Amino acid sequence: MIKNLFIFLVVAISVSVPFVMAKGPTALFKASIIRVQNASLSQNIIPSIKSTEQNLNKEDIQQKLQEAHQLVKDIAVRIGDEEIAYSEKRVLSEGGKVSVSQQDFKDYEREIALVLLNKKTGKLEVVKIVKRGSQLISPKGYKIEIVERLNGIRWNHWATQYKVIAPADTVVLLNKYPLEKGSGADYYIYSTYVDEVSNPEFIKEGAEYLHAIVEQARGDLRVKGVMSKAVPGKLIVDVLPADYYKHLPFLEQSDLLEALADPEWTTDRVLGMLGYNKERAWSMAGNFAGAYGWVQFTDNWRKGKPGTYSTLVRMYPDAKLDINFRTGAADHVNSMKAAILLYDTNLQYLIKHFGADILKNPLLEEYLAAAYNGPPTRVSQSLKAAGITGAASKSNWFEGLYAETEGYIAKLRLLNENQIPDKFLD
């Protein structure tokens, strides 16, 4: 139902303005309490959570997420007629400097259904809040606020983070967010990362899911016998380590400022989102640069020439990528296969300009990650400016890259230094 629909989320270190085209005929909305009780489901299908203020265990969260999806399935959420202007702060870290700016937005008034979880009793209930510009309007007797992230992001569509002030001991488990009308899907149900229900078991589940997707993508390419263009005569999956690809969701779906300030929280957030949402995680995320999905693929055609994704479809026919870019970018296995192919083409470019010894270079992953984020020509220019040839490396090789790509490399170094995500798989 939702494969062809994308909304532009504020992701990674981009500061793209959210863009919502939706319009629907409604009156002004009011926040409300929806009396949906657990008993509305079959009795005893999902037991109550027995934990107190301590972190909930993985099985409890999974069970409650299943029930929460059922509770909001038939609840209507609507979009208003008029756009409301508002501003938000944005904090960026580029080139070692932190800058603060204001960004202007316009968005339609929206009803959003939230499933609230009482951590002590395990009770779930549904309330409707109203987004009116920058305002969050809570129902009577409730106080719910937007969490402002370190980078200044507050409202971020279905990925918005909420904090429940009242009632006490309550968290937002998931939200049902209204989308464009007439698009084939009018809502999206999603769980954002919640510190209060995070736990090592669930973080590990996100790491296991990421590992499984990478292995499934590599296994499919192996079965199909897809050969490397960078290293002729070798299967594409035998050229580079799997860890290179496991790092991509972290690089694309984390903010540099947050990663530098608190790498542990940033890691937990990415893996938590994967653990909660699995194949839904960032499947509909996009930005104004035309990048979509959990690994932010692009297919920007210029003067009739095919974009990156379409080029890979043509160059590697044996891989049998989904020929539809939007659905292909949304699918985790398919987009990971595309990322493996893109790394191979970028490696081919580097070998052409720096020789086969580049395969022995200890910073090869950084070069390829930078080429994924920005054009490989920029990587080549930076390497030449740093005097790098073959297996020789310099830690500050990236000074000629775009500031955003430099941040990409900084995040990658944090991942490697902390053995992310492999340390969660032991």
Side-chain angles (χ1 to χ4, degrees):
M1 180 176 71
I2 59 174
K3 283 188 176 179
N4 292 311
L5 178 66
F6 287 84
I7 294 223
F8 296 147
L9 289 179
V10 184
V11 294
I13 60 174
S14 101
V15 291
S16 303
V17 178
F19 178 61
V20 182
M21 300 173 63
K23 227 178 182 182
T26 59
L28 290 176
F29 305 135
K30 292 183 179 179
S32 58
I33 304 167
I34 304 170
R35 297 299 181 188
V36 181
Q37 304 297 329
N38 293 357
S40 64
L41 300 179
S42 300
Q43 293 292 328
N44 300 322
I45 290 179
I46 301 174
S48 295
I49 294 176
K50 295 182 175 62
S51 66
T52 58
E53 294 183 357
Q54 298 178 356
N55 286 339
L56 310 178
N57 67 49
K58 181 180 71 174
E59 288 73 23
D60 288 335
I61 299 172
Q62 288 175 323
Q63 291 166 346
K64 286 301 175 182
L65 280 170
Q66 292 173 21
E67 186 174 357
H69 276 268
Q70 291 298 314
L71 290 177
V72 296
K73 183 176 64 173
D74 298 321
I75 291 173
V77 286
R78 299 171 293 169
I79 301 173
D81 290 321
E82 297 183 8
E83 289 183 305
I84 301 170
Y86 65 100
S87 297
E88 283 191 358
K89 177 178 67 177
R90 286 293 179 268
V91 184
L92 289 177
S93 176
E94 290 187 343
K97 297 180 180 180
V98 175
S99 62
V100 180
S101 62
Q102 288 290 123
Q103 287 200 357
D104 297 326
F105 301 91
K106 283 186 178 181
D107 191 16
Y108 297 94
E109 183 175 84
R110 296 169 188 269
E111 290 181 319
I112 304 168
L114 306 180
V115 179
L116 306 184
L117 165 68
N118 185 295
K119 296 186 294 176
K120 286 188 174 181
T121 67
K123 177 185 175 183
L124 294 176
E125 64 176 326
V126 183
V127 301
K128 279 187 182 178
I129 61 170
V130 174
K131 178 185 185 297
R132 189 171 295 158
S134 63
Q135 285 184 289
L136 184 159
I137 301 170
S138 302
K140 186 176 180 180
Y142 291 75
K143 186 177 181 182
I144 302 170
E145 297 179 349
I146 301 295
V147 175
E148 181 175 315
R149 292 168 55 185
L150 189 62
N151 52 25
I153 293 173
R154 298 182 72 250
W155 285 107
N156 196 16
H157 301 284
W158 56 81
T160 299
Q161 293 181 242
Y162 301 96
K163 183 174 182 61
V164 182
I165 307 302
D169 303 307
T170 302
V171 296
V172 175
L173 196 59
L174 59 77
N175 72 104
K176 184 175 185 178
Y177 187 90
L179 305 173
E180 290 102 323
K181 299 297 182 182
S183 62
D186 59 3
Y187 66 86
Y188 194 54
I189 299 174
Y190 203 71
S191 298
T192 56
Y193 177 71
V194 182
D195 294 296
E196 294 94 332
V197 295
S198 168
N199 63 69
E201 284 186 324
F202 220 85
I203 300 304
K204 182 179 180 181
E205 181 158 326
E208 290 171 345
Y209 174 80
L210 173 56
H211 174 79
I213 292 296
V214 171
E215 289 308 306
Q216 187 176 342
R218 295 175 77 243
D220 186 68
L221 292 172
R222 184 181 295 280
V223 167
K224 288 181 168 62
V226 179
M227 305 302 291
S228 169
K229 295 188 181 300
V231 184
K234 291 192 79 169
L235 289 170
I236 196 169
V237 294
D238 291 334
V239 175
L240 296 171
D243 286 351
Y244 285 20
Y245 315 118
K246 293 177 191 175
H247 290 151
L248 278 172
F250 294 93
L251 298 175
E252 293 292 349
Q253 302 300 339
S254 65
D255 179 87
L256 175 60
L257 198 64
E258 292 175 339
L260 294 174
D262 195 339
E264 183 177 356
W265 178 88
T266 300
T267 297
D268 288 354
R269 178 179 175 274
V270 172
L271 293 177
M273 295 282 274
L274 286 172
Y276 298 155
N277 295 285
K278 303 293 193 304
E279 70 277 359
R280 299 168 67 88
W282 301 291
S283 64
M284 294 172 64
N287 64 27
F288 277 115
Y292 296 93
W294 75 323
V295 289
Q296 292 286 276
F297 236 93
T298 63
D299 195 35
N300 301 321
W301 288 54
R302 292 181 175 87
K303 298 181 179 180
K305 294 183 178 181
T308 301
Y309 186 84
S310 295
T311 298
L312 293 172
V313 171
R314 176 178 53 81
M315 288 179 63
Y316 297 88
D318 292 343
K320 300 192 182 305
L321 294 178
D322 184 342
I323 61 173
N324 184 302
F325 168 57
R326 293 296 183 87
T327 57
D331 183 278
H332 283 182
V333 174
N334 183 82
S335 57
M336 187 56 72
K337 288 198 299 183
I340 294 170
L341 303 181
L342 183 54
Y343 265 51
D344 189 64
T345 59
N346 289 338
L347 177 60
Q348 182 184 33
Y349 179 91
L350 291 178
I351 290 175
K352 178 181 177 181
H353 288 81
F354 297 94
D357 279 351
I358 196 83
L359 287 164
K360 304 173 185 176
N361 196 298
L363 298 182
L364 178 60
E365 184 184 7
E366 293 187 7
Y367 308 154
L368 291 171
Y372 186 94
N373 179 255
T377 52
R378 177 70 65 162
V379 175
S380 177
Q381 292 168 8
S382 295
L383 292 174
K384 288 177 180 177
I388 292 173
T389 57
S393 65
K394 290 183 180 179
S395 61
N396 63 342
W397 70 271
F398 52 80
E399 291 184 353
L401 300 178
Y402 294 123
E404 178 181 328
T405 309
E406 287 188 28
Y408 209 77
I409 301 309
K411 288 189 286 184
L412 179 58
R413 290 186 177 183
L414 284 173
L415 293 171
N416 280 319
E417 287 168 7
N418 293 282
Q419 296 181 304
I420 307 296
D422 283 353
K423 78 172 186 179
F424 295 100
L425 300 173
D426 295 334

